[in-house]
Amino acid sequence: QLQLQESGPGLVKPSETLSLTCTVSGGSISITNYYWGWIRQPPGKGLKWIGSIYYSGDTYYNPSIKSRVTISVDTSKNQFSLKLSSVTAADTAVYYCARHIGLNIVVLPAALGWFDPWGQGTLVTVSS
Amino acid sequence: DIQMTQSPSTLSASVGDRVTITCRASQSISSRLAWYQQKPGKAPNLLIYKASSLESGVPSRFSGSGSGTEFTLTISSLQPDDFATYYCQQYNTYPMYTFGQGTKLEIK
């Protein structure tokens, strides 16, 4: 059974870079037709897609946050990572990683679908 | 950007009730819609994809319908385990994936 687990610091200072890693177990991250995504949820609020990456390194980002986000993949460790720079209190959220279903990945941009399964999430607080 | 609007934001119901949650898209998204259930402190869990396809392992009391701009999630007979927050998500516009604001289903 595929499982995802987020890890990283729970507290980040304003203006610094948030770094999280998602470890995939029970299956390979290098499988065709699946991307790997990050989604966040501020306390008491809704869900926001941050970006998704293919095992080849192809990435897509939410335009609203694209200038501060970098998602990378390490197939040797079956992991993918999120870096968010210049954080503020508004970046305080539970961050989830999830498998992002590929519907048609031969087109550009790739057509992706729903998220399943999800990691349990990790709360990152931005505070001095 | 496509906006997804769910209604109601909060819904009070009793065990055994039939409930319907609506999700409206600001423009047509064909049938490219998924539904998730989220319980407090937990990650969202996929219920429905392609607007009406039931994810494996999800009870048959859950069903989805709709296409274009209006979609519904129906629970035919509420069970105690169903009280949670429900989100819709569109995947029609690539690469931009957006969620509704959520509908909290409470016990009456």
Side-chain angles (χ1 to χ4, degrees), chain A residues 94-119:
Chain A
V94 175
Y95 286 77
Y96 296 101
C97 59
R99 187 175 63 174
H100 198 172
I101 308 304
L103 301 177
N104 185 348
I105 66 167
V106 299
V107 297
L108 287 176
L112 307 181
W114 52 94
F115 299 93
D116 180 61
W118 297 55

PDB file of all heavy atoms in Angstrom, chain A residues 94-119:
ATOM      1  N   VAL A  94      -0.661  23.646   7.391  1.00  0.00           N
ATOM      2  CA  VAL A  94      -0.335  22.222   7.314  1.00  0.00           C
ATOM      3  C   VAL A  94       0.018  21.949   5.859  1.00  0.00           C
ATOM      4  O   VAL A  94      -0.746  22.305   4.944  1.00  0.00           O
ATOM      5  CB  VAL A  94      -1.512  21.342   7.755  1.00  0.00           C
ATOM      6  CG1 VAL A  94      -1.178  19.871   7.535  1.00  0.00           C
ATOM      7  CG2 VAL A  94      -1.848  21.596   9.221  1.00  0.00           C
ATOM      8  N   TYR A  95       1.164  21.344   5.650  1.00  0.00           N
ATOM      9  CA  TYR A  95       1.630  21.031   4.301  1.00  0.00           C
ATOM     10  C   TYR A  95       1.465  19.528   4.075  1.00  0.00           C
ATOM     11  O   TYR A  95       1.941  18.710   4.876  1.00  0.00           O
ATOM     12  CB  TYR A  95       3.091  21.448   4.132  1.00  0.00           C
ATOM     13  CG  TYR A  95       3.241  22.944   4.003  1.00  0.00           C
ATOM     14  CD1 TYR A  95       3.147  23.782   5.117  1.00  0.00           C
ATOM     15  CD2 TYR A  95       3.453  23.550   2.763  1.00  0.00           C
ATOM     16  CE1 TYR A  95       3.253  25.160   5.000  1.00  0.00           C
ATOM     17  CE2 TYR A  95       3.561  24.917   2.630  1.00  0.00           C
ATOM     18  CZ  TYR A  95       3.459  25.719   3.754  1.00  0.00           C
ATOM     19  OH  TYR A  95       3.562  27.091   3.640  1.00  0.00           O
ATOM     20  N   TYR A  96       0.777  19.198   2.983  1.00  0.00           N
ATOM     21  CA  TYR A  96       0.555  17.808   2.607  1.00  0.00           C
ATOM     22  C   TYR A  96       1.311  17.486   1.325  1.00  0.00           C
ATOM     23  O   TYR A  96       1.385  18.310   0.416  1.00  0.00           O
ATOM     24  CB  TYR A  96      -0.925  17.550   2.328  1.00  0.00           C
ATOM     25  CG  TYR A  96      -1.852  17.717   3.502  1.00  0.00           C
ATOM     26  CD1 TYR A  96      -2.609  18.868   3.663  1.00  0.00           C
ATOM     27  CD2 TYR A  96      -2.016  16.689   4.436  1.00  0.00           C
ATOM     28  CE1 TYR A  96      -3.494  19.011   4.726  1.00  0.00           C
ATOM     29  CE2 TYR A  96      -2.894  16.816   5.500  1.00  0.00           C
ATOM     30  CZ  TYR A  96      -3.629  17.989   5.635  1.00  0.00           C
ATOM     31  OH  TYR A  96      -4.503  18.108   6.695  1.00  0.00           O
ATOM     32  N   CYS A  97       1.811  16.263   1.254  1.00  0.00           N
ATOM     33  CA  CYS A  97       2.261  15.740  -0.031  1.00  0.00           C
ATOM     34  C   CYS A  97       1.259  14.670  -0.473  1.00  0.00           C
ATOM     35  O   CYS A  97       0.569  14.058   0.357  1.00  0.00           O
ATOM     36  CB  CYS A  97       3.679  15.183   0.035  1.00  0.00           C
ATOM     37  SG  CYS A  97       3.971  13.840   1.212  1.00  0.00           S
ATOM     38  N   ALA A  98       1.158  14.481  -1.767  1.00  0.00           N
ATOM     39  CA  ALA A  98       0.174  13.548  -2.300  1.00  0.00           C
ATOM     40  C   ALA A  98       0.597  13.092  -3.685  1.00  0.00           C
ATOM     41  O   ALA A  98       1.329  13.797  -4.400  1.00  0.00           O
ATOM     42  CB  ALA A  98      -1.204  14.206  -2.365  1.00  0.00           C
ATOM     43  N   ARG A  99       0.127  11.940  -4.074  1.00  0.00           N
ATOM     44  CA  ARG A  99       0.315  11.481  -5.450  1.00  0.00           C
ATOM     45  C   ARG A  99      -0.726  12.185  -6.317  1.00  0.00           C
ATOM     46  O   ARG A  99      -1.903  12.269  -5.958  1.00  0.00           O
ATOM     47  CB  ARG A  99       0.137   9.970  -5.532  1.00  0.00           C
ATOM     48  CG  ARG A  99       0.485   9.390  -6.899  1.00  0.00           C
ATOM     49  CD  ARG A  99       0.400   7.887  -6.906  1.00  0.00           C
ATOM     50  NE  ARG A  99      -0.935   7.391  -6.647  1.00  0.00           N
ATOM     51  CZ  ARG A  99      -1.297   6.112  -6.704  1.00  0.00           C
ATOM     52  NH1 ARG A  99      -0.374   5.187  -6.981  1.00  0.00           N
ATOM     53  NH2 ARG A  99      -2.533   5.737  -6.473  1.00  0.00           N
ATOM     54  N   HIS A 100      -0.271  12.695  -7.463  1.00  0.00           N
ATOM     55  CA  HIS A 100      -1.130  13.465  -8.351  1.00  0.00           C
ATOM     56  C   HIS A 100      -1.308  12.652  -9.619  1.00  0.00           C
ATOM     57  O   HIS A 100      -0.352  12.407 -10.345  1.00  0.00           O
ATOM     58  CB  HIS A 100      -0.471  14.820  -8.643  1.00  0.00           C
ATOM     59  CG  HIS A 100      -1.401  15.837  -9.178  1.00  0.00           C
ATOM     60  ND1 HIS A 100      -1.019  17.158  -9.353  1.00  0.00           N
ATOM     61  CD2 HIS A 100      -2.694  15.769  -9.563  1.00  0.00           C
ATOM     62  CE1 HIS A 100      -2.044  17.846  -9.830  1.00  0.00           C
ATOM     63  NE2 HIS A 100      -3.067  17.021  -9.962  1.00  0.00           N
ATOM     64  N   ILE A 101      -2.512  12.241  -9.873  1.00  0.00           N
ATOM     65  CA  ILE A 101      -2.795  11.338 -10.978  1.00  0.00           C
ATOM     66  C   ILE A 101      -2.566  12.022 -12.325  1.00  0.00           C
ATOM     67  O   ILE A 101      -3.057  13.136 -12.561  1.00  0.00           O
ATOM     68  CB  ILE A 101      -4.248  10.845 -10.901  1.00  0.00           C
ATOM     69  CG1 ILE A 101      -4.546  10.270  -9.519  1.00  0.00           C
ATOM     70  CG2 ILE A 101      -4.528   9.835 -11.984  1.00  0.00           C
ATOM     71  CD1 ILE A 101      -3.626   9.166  -9.083  1.00  0.00           C
ATOM     72  N   GLY A 102      -1.843  11.341 -13.204  1.00  0.00           N
ATOM     73  CA  GLY A 102      -1.624  11.853 -14.553  1.00  0.00           C
ATOM     74  C   GLY A 102      -2.683  11.327 -15.498  1.00  0.00           C
ATOM     75  O   GLY A 102      -2.870  10.119 -15.613  1.00  0.00           O
ATOM     76  N   LEU A 103      -3.391  12.228 -16.160  1.00  0.00           N
ATOM     77  CA  LEU A 103      -4.436  11.830 -17.103  1.00  0.00           C
ATOM     78  C   LEU A 103      -3.883  11.725 -18.521  1.00  0.00           C
ATOM     79  O   LEU A 103      -4.244  10.831 -19.285  1.00  0.00           O
ATOM     80  CB  LEU A 103      -5.581  12.845 -17.060  1.00  0.00           C
ATOM     81  CG  LEU A 103      -6.238  13.019 -15.680  1.00  0.00           C
ATOM     82  CD1 LEU A 103      -7.299  14.097 -15.734  1.00  0.00           C
ATOM     83  CD2 LEU A 103      -6.837  11.701 -15.212  1.00  0.00           C
ATOM     84  N   ASN A 104      -3.026  12.662 -18.868  1.00  0.00           N
ATOM     85  CA  ASN A 104      -2.375  12.649 -20.174  1.00  0.00           C
ATOM     86  C   ASN A 104      -1.081  13.428 -20.034  1.00  0.00           C
ATOM     87  O   ASN A 104      -1.098  14.657 -19.971  1.00  0.00           O
ATOM     88  CB  ASN A 104      -3.261  13.276 -21.247  1.00  0.00           C
ATOM     89  CG  ASN A 104      -2.654  13.168 -22.636  1.00  0.00           C
ATOM     90  OD1 ASN A 104      -1.465  12.820 -22.789  1.00  0.00           O
ATOM     91  ND2 ASN A 104      -3.427  13.449 -23.664  1.00  0.00           N
ATOM     92  N   ILE A 105       0.018  12.713 -19.946  1.00  0.00           N
ATOM     93  CA  ILE A 105       1.277  13.392 -19.657  1.00  0.00           C
ATOM     94  C   ILE A 105       2.136  13.578 -20.886  1.00  0.00           C
ATOM     95  O   ILE A 105       3.261  14.071 -20.779  1.00  0.00           O
ATOM     96  CB  ILE A 105       2.065  12.668 -18.539  1.00  0.00           C
ATOM     97  CG1 ILE A 105       2.525  11.280 -19.025  1.00  0.00           C
ATOM     98  CG2 ILE A 105       1.234  12.558 -17.277  1.00  0.00           C
ATOM     99  CD1 ILE A 105       3.547  10.665 -18.102  1.00  0.00           C
ATOM    100  N   VAL A 106       1.602  13.222 -22.055  1.00  0.00           N
ATOM    101  CA  VAL A 106       2.377  13.423 -23.276  1.00  0.00           C
ATOM    102  C   VAL A 106       2.105  14.777 -23.895  1.00  0.00           C
ATOM    103  O   VAL A 106       2.798  15.214 -24.808  1.00  0.00           O
ATOM    104  CB  VAL A 106       2.130  12.300 -24.300  1.00  0.00           C
ATOM    105  CG1 VAL A 106       2.557  10.964 -23.722  1.00  0.00           C
ATOM    106  CG2 VAL A 106       0.677  12.267 -24.737  1.00  0.00           C
ATOM    107  N   VAL A 107       1.066  15.472 -23.388  1.00  0.00           N
ATOM    108  CA  VAL A 107       0.767  16.809 -23.886  1.00  0.00           C
ATOM    109  C   VAL A 107       1.495  17.825 -23.018  1.00  0.00           C
ATOM    110  O   VAL A 107       1.978  17.512 -21.941  1.00  0.00           O
ATOM    111  CB  VAL A 107      -0.744  17.084 -23.860  1.00  0.00           C
ATOM    112  CG1 VAL A 107      -1.471  16.118 -24.789  1.00  0.00           C
ATOM    113  CG2 VAL A 107      -1.304  16.987 -22.440  1.00  0.00           C
ATOM    114  N   LEU A 108       1.558  19.053 -23.508  1.00  0.00           N
ATOM    115  CA  LEU A 108       2.164  20.132 -22.728  1.00  0.00           C
ATOM    116  C   LEU A 108       1.172  21.281 -22.605  1.00  0.00           C
ATOM    117  O   LEU A 108       0.712  21.806 -23.609  1.00  0.00           O
ATOM    118  CB  LEU A 108       3.450  20.614 -23.398  1.00  0.00           C
ATOM    119  CG  LEU A 108       4.661  19.670 -23.289  1.00  0.00           C
ATOM    120  CD1 LEU A 108       5.827  20.232 -24.088  1.00  0.00           C
ATOM    121  CD2 LEU A 108       5.057  19.457 -21.839  1.00  0.00           C
ATOM    122  N   PRO A 109       0.870  21.730 -21.401  1.00  0.00           N
ATOM    123  CA  PRO A 109       1.289  21.116 -20.144  1.00  0.00           C
ATOM    124  C   PRO A 109       0.581  19.785 -19.911  1.00  0.00           C
ATOM    125  O   PRO A 109      -0.480  19.550 -20.476  1.00  0.00           O
ATOM    126  CB  PRO A 109       0.870  22.143 -19.096  1.00  0.00           C
ATOM    127  CG  PRO A 109      -0.296  22.835 -19.718  1.00  0.00           C
ATOM    128  CD  PRO A 109      -0.010  22.878 -21.193  1.00  0.00           C
ATOM    129  N   ALA A 110       1.180  18.958 -19.086  1.00  0.00           N
ATOM    130  CA  ALA A 110       0.574  17.664 -18.781  1.00  0.00           C
ATOM    131  C   ALA A 110      -0.787  17.861 -18.133  1.00  0.00           C
ATOM    132  O   ALA A 110      -1.007  18.829 -17.387  1.00  0.00           O
ATOM    133  CB  ALA A 110       1.478  16.863 -17.840  1.00  0.00           C
ATOM    134  N   ALA A 111      -1.700  16.973 -18.446  1.00  0.00           N
ATOM    135  CA  ALA A 111      -3.031  17.010 -17.851  1.00  0.00           C
ATOM    136  C   ALA A 111      -3.025  16.117 -16.616  1.00  0.00           C
ATOM    137  O   ALA A 111      -2.866  14.898 -16.724  1.00  0.00           O
ATOM    138  CB  ALA A 111      -4.072  16.524 -18.846  1.00  0.00           C
ATOM    139  N   LEU A 112      -3.165  16.753 -15.470  1.00  0.00           N
ATOM    140  CA  LEU A 112      -3.173  16.010 -14.226  1.00  0.00           C
ATOM    141  C   LEU A 112      -4.568  16.019 -13.622  1.00  0.00           C
ATOM    142  O   LEU A 112      -5.431  16.810 -14.043  1.00  0.00           O
ATOM    143  CB  LEU A 112      -2.153  16.604 -13.251  1.00  0.00           C
ATOM    144  CG  LEU A 112      -0.730  16.743 -13.800  1.00  0.00           C
ATOM    145  CD1 LEU A 112       0.204  17.316 -12.736  1.00  0.00           C
ATOM    146  CD2 LEU A 112      -0.215  15.409 -14.316  1.00  0.00           C
ATOM    147  N   GLY A 113      -4.787  15.178 -12.636  1.00  0.00           N
ATOM    148  CA  GLY A 113      -6.139  15.023 -12.108  1.00  0.00           C
ATOM    149  C   GLY A 113      -6.234  15.206 -10.617  1.00  0.00           C
ATOM    150  O   GLY A 113      -5.888  16.249 -10.093  1.00  0.00           O
ATOM    151  N   TRP A 114      -6.691  14.178  -9.975  1.00  0.00           N
ATOM    152  CA  TRP A 114      -6.966  14.232  -8.544  1.00  0.00           C
ATOM    153  C   TRP A 114      -5.741  13.776  -7.730  1.00  0.00           C
ATOM    154  O   TRP A 114      -4.763  13.298  -8.289  1.00  0.00           O
ATOM    155  CB  TRP A 114      -8.182  13.355  -8.221  1.00  0.00           C
ATOM    156  CG  TRP A 114      -8.081  11.961  -8.740  1.00  0.00           C
ATOM    157  CD1 TRP A 114      -7.626  10.861  -8.077  1.00  0.00           C
ATOM    158  CD2 TRP A 114      -8.441  11.514 -10.056  1.00  0.00           C
ATOM    159  NE1 TRP A 114      -7.666   9.767  -8.901  1.00  0.00           N
ATOM    160  CE2 TRP A 114      -8.171  10.133 -10.108  1.00  0.00           C
ATOM    161  CE3 TRP A 114      -8.967  12.142 -11.196  1.00  0.00           C
ATOM    162  CZ2 TRP A 114      -8.413   9.362 -11.258  1.00  0.00           C
ATOM    163  CZ3 TRP A 114      -9.201  11.387 -12.321  1.00  0.00           C
ATOM    164  CH2 TRP A 114      -8.927  10.015 -12.351  1.00  0.00           C
ATOM    165  N   PHE A 115      -5.843  13.936  -6.407  1.00  0.00           N
ATOM    166  CA  PHE A 115      -4.751  13.607  -5.507  1.00  0.00           C
ATOM    167  C   PHE A 115      -5.133  12.388  -4.655  1.00  0.00           C
ATOM    168  O   PHE A 115      -6.147  12.401  -3.957  1.00  0.00           O
ATOM    169  CB  PHE A 115      -4.455  14.789  -4.573  1.00  0.00           C
ATOM    170  CG  PHE A 115      -4.047  16.036  -5.298  1.00  0.00           C
ATOM    171  CD1 PHE A 115      -4.989  16.990  -5.644  1.00  0.00           C
ATOM    172  CD2 PHE A 115      -2.718  16.267  -5.634  1.00  0.00           C
ATOM    173  CE1 PHE A 115      -4.623  18.151  -6.317  1.00  0.00           C
ATOM    174  CE2 PHE A 115      -2.340  17.426  -6.301  1.00  0.00           C
ATOM    175  CZ  PHE A 115      -3.300  18.363  -6.646  1.00  0.00           C
ATOM    176  N   ASP A 116      -4.299  11.367  -4.714  1.00  0.00           N
ATOM    177  CA  ASP A 116      -4.581  10.167  -3.942  1.00  0.00           C
ATOM    178  C   ASP A 116      -3.422   9.188  -4.032  1.00  0.00           C
ATOM    179  O   ASP A 116      -2.993   8.873  -5.142  1.00  0.00           O
ATOM    180  CB  ASP A 116      -5.843   9.473  -4.474  1.00  0.00           C
ATOM    181  CG  ASP A 116      -6.185   8.209  -3.703  1.00  0.00           C
ATOM    182  OD1 ASP A 116      -6.437   8.311  -2.480  1.00  0.00           O
ATOM    183  OD2 ASP A 116      -6.165   7.129  -4.301  1.00  0.00           O
ATOM    184  N   PRO A 117      -2.877   8.744  -2.895  1.00  0.00           N
ATOM    185  CA  PRO A 117      -3.230   9.098  -1.516  1.00  0.00           C
ATOM    186  C   PRO A 117      -2.481  10.354  -1.059  1.00  0.00           C
ATOM    187  O   PRO A 117      -1.656  10.889  -1.822  1.00  0.00           O
ATOM    188  CB  PRO A 117      -2.751   7.880  -0.723  1.00  0.00           C
ATOM    189  CG  PRO A 117      -1.538   7.430  -1.486  1.00  0.00           C
ATOM    190  CD  PRO A 117      -1.836   7.696  -2.938  1.00  0.00           C
ATOM    191  N   TRP A 118      -2.761  10.754   0.162  1.00  0.00           N
ATOM    192  CA  TRP A 118      -2.120  11.916   0.789  1.00  0.00           C
ATOM    193  C   TRP A 118      -1.255  11.456   1.959  1.00  0.00           C
ATOM    194  O   TRP A 118      -1.516  10.433   2.582  1.00  0.00           O
ATOM    195  CB  TRP A 118      -3.178  12.880   1.335  1.00  0.00           C
ATOM    196  CG  TRP A 118      -4.090  13.483   0.319  1.00  0.00           C
ATOM    197  CD1 TRP A 118      -4.875  12.830  -0.599  1.00  0.00           C
ATOM    198  CD2 TRP A 118      -4.360  14.874   0.137  1.00  0.00           C
ATOM    199  NE1 TRP A 118      -5.600  13.723  -1.333  1.00  0.00           N
ATOM    200  CE2 TRP A 118      -5.305  14.992  -0.900  1.00  0.00           C
ATOM    201  CE3 TRP A 118      -3.905  16.043   0.755  1.00  0.00           C
ATOM    202  CZ2 TRP A 118      -5.801  16.224  -1.346  1.00  0.00           C
ATOM    203  CZ3 TRP A 118      -4.398  17.265   0.323  1.00  0.00           C
ATOM    204  CH2 TRP A 118      -5.329  17.355  -0.713  1.00  0.00           C
ATOM    205  N   GLY A 119      -0.235  12.262   2.260  1.00  0.00           N
ATOM    206  CA  GLY A 119       0.482  12.079   3.509  1.00  0.00           C
ATOM    207  C   GLY A 119      -0.358  12.602   4.660  1.00  0.00           C
ATOM    208  O   GLY A 119      -1.397  13.226   4.445  1.00  0.00           O
TER     209      GLY A 119
END
